[in-house]
């Protein structure tokens, strides 16, 4: 794709979804404004949230649906900040209308959706990316620095574990059909970390799921997310990774991600880390704080891509990779067998 704009301010942004859970619509528009782009429109069915958007960005165009926004606004980049099951249909609608698209994570729920989105972007000759802001989390930046330094040796295994014990909330994230399942919300972030750390293709995935413990107490009933989701990922390099996200684990393991190498381990929580290496009979532990996040790099890259043709960091093919793992893990858990990975 050739650069489309001479200057970043010509990138007129429309946001779809201006929800109140984390005020993500405002965060995206502010960040894009900082990167030089122009906030132009918001589409949101909830009138109260649309009023918040109009107050946050005086003069911004407001619409109650993406269909109205596509018909009534000259936005040329659309950002989707909506529940997970809407990402693929909304992206396809915007891509087919010839608009560039940034989709919040997860890119989509199934591999087939990712493939359809990538094909639609190619057909329309527009950009497609996913907001993997955590690609620039301080923790993964530090982990990559430590792995590249060789201090923990060759990466053998990456274990990601999150959650604890507690009833799923009433929000849409606890609905399996809307969110994709327990592994999708945070799992996509930690898998994206893992793919950076291992740097090798996935060959197969085995998934496990415990269902039904919380369902009777949840507003979502049978559609409640799994109590626990678990995946084992095998890489071509012979490394492997595990992902566990649980709401029934009263004794969740220490550390959000643990990278085991031939000479040592790098273990991190969101803000802190430990480097544990063997020195003869001694075990040396170095503790530290993770460097600051650099999330601003995401939209700096989008603006530079659309104005100067700088390569995209988060390509749609890259965004497809963690979704492929999640999709295989879900199907594997249902079918009770290991599934082979396929790269497009
Ligand atoms: N990258 C991050 O750090 C990060 C952080 C939080 C949320 N997210 C992601 O952002 C997305 C939204 O999450 P949230 O917490 O903001 O949810 P939310 O429930 O607060 O907001 C979603 C909004 O989308 C609106 N909406 C639903 N369907 C729509 C449609 N068809 N057209 C237009 N608007 C529609 C809803 O009315 C709601 O206001 C999810 O994909 C989530 O995973 C990412």
């Amino acid at each position: 794709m050739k650069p489309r704009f001479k200057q970043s301010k010509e990138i007129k942004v429309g946001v779809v979804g201006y929800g109140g859970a984390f005020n993500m619509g405002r965060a995206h528009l502010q960040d894009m404004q900082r990167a030089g782009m122009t906030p132009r429109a918001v589409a949101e069915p909830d009138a109260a949230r649309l009023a918040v958007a109009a107050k946050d960005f005086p003069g911004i165009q407001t619409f109650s649906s993406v269909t109205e926004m596509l018909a009534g606004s000259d936005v040329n980049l659309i950002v989707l900040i909506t529940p997970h099951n809407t990402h693929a249909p909304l992206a396809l609608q915007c891509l087919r209308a010839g608009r560039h698209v940034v989709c919040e994570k997860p890119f989509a729920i199934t591999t087939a959706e990712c493939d359809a989105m990538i094909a639609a972007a190619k057909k329309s000759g527009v950009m497609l990316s996913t907001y993997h802001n955590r690609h620039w989390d301080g923790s993964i930046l530090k982990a990559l620095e430590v792995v590249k330094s060789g201090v923990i040796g060759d990466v053998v295994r990456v274990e990601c574990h999150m959650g604890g014990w507690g009833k799923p909330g009433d929000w849409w994230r606890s609905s399996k059909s809307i969110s994709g399942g327990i592994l999708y919300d945070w799992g996509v972030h930690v898998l994206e970390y893992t793919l950076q750390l291992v740097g090798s293709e996935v060959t197969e995935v085995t998934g496990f799921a415990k269902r039904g413990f919380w369902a009777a107490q949840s507003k979502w009933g049978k559609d409640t997310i799994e109590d626990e989701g678990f995946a084992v990922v095998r890489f071509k390099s012979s490394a492997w990774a595990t992902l566990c996200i649980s709401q029934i684990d009263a004794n969740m393991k220490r550390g959000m991600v643990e990278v085991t190498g031939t000479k040592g381990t790098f273990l991190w929580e969101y803000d802190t880390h430990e480097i544990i290496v063997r020195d003869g009979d001694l075990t040396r532990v170095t503790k530290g704080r993770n460097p600051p996040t650099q999330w601003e790099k995401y939209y700096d890259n989008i603006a530079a891509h659309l104005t100067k043709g700088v390569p995209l960091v988060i390509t749609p093919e890259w965004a497809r990779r963690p979704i492929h793992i999640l999709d295989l893990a879900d199907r594997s858990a249902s079918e009770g067998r290991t599934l082979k990975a396929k790269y497009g």
Side-chain angles (χ1 to χ4, degrees):
M1 197 197 78
K2 288 182 186 148
R4 291 296 169 88
F5 307 100
K6 288 200 173 74
Q7 300 176 64
S8 301
K9 67 178 181 194
E10 293 167 26
I11 307 171
K12 289 171 265 178
V13 186
V15 151
V16 178
Y18 205 86
F22 299 98
N23 257 321
M24 290 304 288
R26 184 166 67 196
H28 276 266
L29 284 176
Q30 284 174 339
D31 217 17
M32 296 171 95
Q33 208 167 23
R34 191 207 45 77
M37 306 180 213
T38 307
R40 174 69 105 218
V42 176
E44 164 62 62
D46 179 341
R49 291 302 304 166
L50 210 48
V52 173
K55 204 170 161 211
D56 288 345
F57 295 91
I60 203 158
Q61 301 170 334
T62 53
F63 301 95
S64 61
S65 72
V66 73
T67 306
E68 281 178 24
M69 189 169 88
L70 287 170
S73 176
D74 62 350
V75 289
N76 41 40
L77 169 59
I78 296 180
V79 184
L80 307 173
I81 318 174
T82 52
H84 303 167
N85 64 336
T86 65
H87 291 181
L90 289 172
L92 287 172
Q93 188 179 358
C94 298
L95 293 166
R96 286 172 184 151
R99 317 297 171 101
H100 302 290
V101 171
V102 165
C103 185
E104 253 295 358
K105 48 56 60 172
F107 191 36
I109 291 179
T110 66
T111 316
E113 287 175 336
C114 298
D115 291 341
M117 290 156 75
I118 292 169
K122 283 205 176 118
K123 194 168 174 201
S124 294
V126 293
M127 181 202 77
L128 174 62
S129 179
T130 298
Y131 186 65
H132 266 303
N133 53 329
R134 295 188 180 283
H135 187 84
W136 292 273
D137 268 352
S139 54
I140 182 65
L141 296 175
K142 181 71 191 176
L144 289 168
E145 180 196 308
V146 169
V147 167
K148 278 181 195 149
S149 76
V151 69
I152 66 164
D154 298 331
V155 173
V156 174
R157 155 169 52 95
V158 180
E159 289 175 84
C160 311
H161 23 77
M162 298 186 72
W165 194 92
K167 192 181 133 192
D170 286 345
W171 59 357
W172 58 258
R173 282 173 169 78
S174 306
S175 153
K176 169 83 178 161
S177 59
I178 302 176
S179 69
I182 195 169
L183 293 181
Y184 274 80
D185 193 26
W186 258 94
V188 75
H189 286 305
V190 292
L191 285 175
E192 204 257 346
Y193 295 153
T194 302
L195 290 165
Q196 290 186 70
L197 287 162
V198 176
S200 168
E201 286 196 359
V202 173
T203 56
E204 59 182 33
V205 176
T206 313
F208 303 85
K210 164 81 182 108
R211 297 189 169 87
F213 180 76
W214 286 119
Q217 292 179 55
S218 157
K219 98 165 196 185
W220 302 100
K222 282 193 176 139
D223 188 37
T224 303
I225 52 169
E226 302 84 349
D227 304 311
E228 175 168 306
F230 195 98
V232 183
V233 183
R234 187 189 297 277
F235 290 90
K236 214 175 196 170
S237 68
S238 87
W240 65 95
T242 61
L243 167 65
C244 178
I245 301 194
S246 185
Q247 298 215 181
I248 48 163
D249 194 338
N251 186 30
M252 181 54 74
K253 282 181 81 175
R254 205 166 63 90
M256 177 176 154
V257 181
E258 186 170 358
V259 188
T260 301
T262 46
K263 297 188 202 161
T265 292
F266 184 81
L267 175 85
W268 84 77
E269 300 288 1
Y270 191 70
D271 292 321
T272 55
H273 65 260
E274 290 178 29
I275 306 168
I276 303 147
V277 287
R278 288 287 289 193
D279 186 1
D281 287 343
L282 291 175
T283 301
R284 277 191 285 118
V285 181
T286 316
K287 295 185 182 184
R289 291 197 70 75
N290 297 327
T293 65
Q294 298 178 20
W295 293 357
E296 65 282 1
K297 289 204 168 158
Y298 179 79
Y299 277 125
D300 285 345
N301 175 249
I302 296 290
H305 177 70
L306 289 173
T307 55
K308 301 192 189 92
V310 168
L312 263 188
V313 177
I314 308 296
T315 62
E317 290 78 13
W318 175 254
R320 179 191 184 276
R321 290 185 173 206
I323 302 303
H324 192 40
I325 297 173
L326 292 168
D327 184 12
L328 290 173
D330 192 57
R331 283 164 34 212
S332 162
S334 300
E335 294 173 23
R337 63 190 180 101
T338 299
L339 297 174
K340 297 281 176 207
K342 265 193 202 155
Y343 284 86

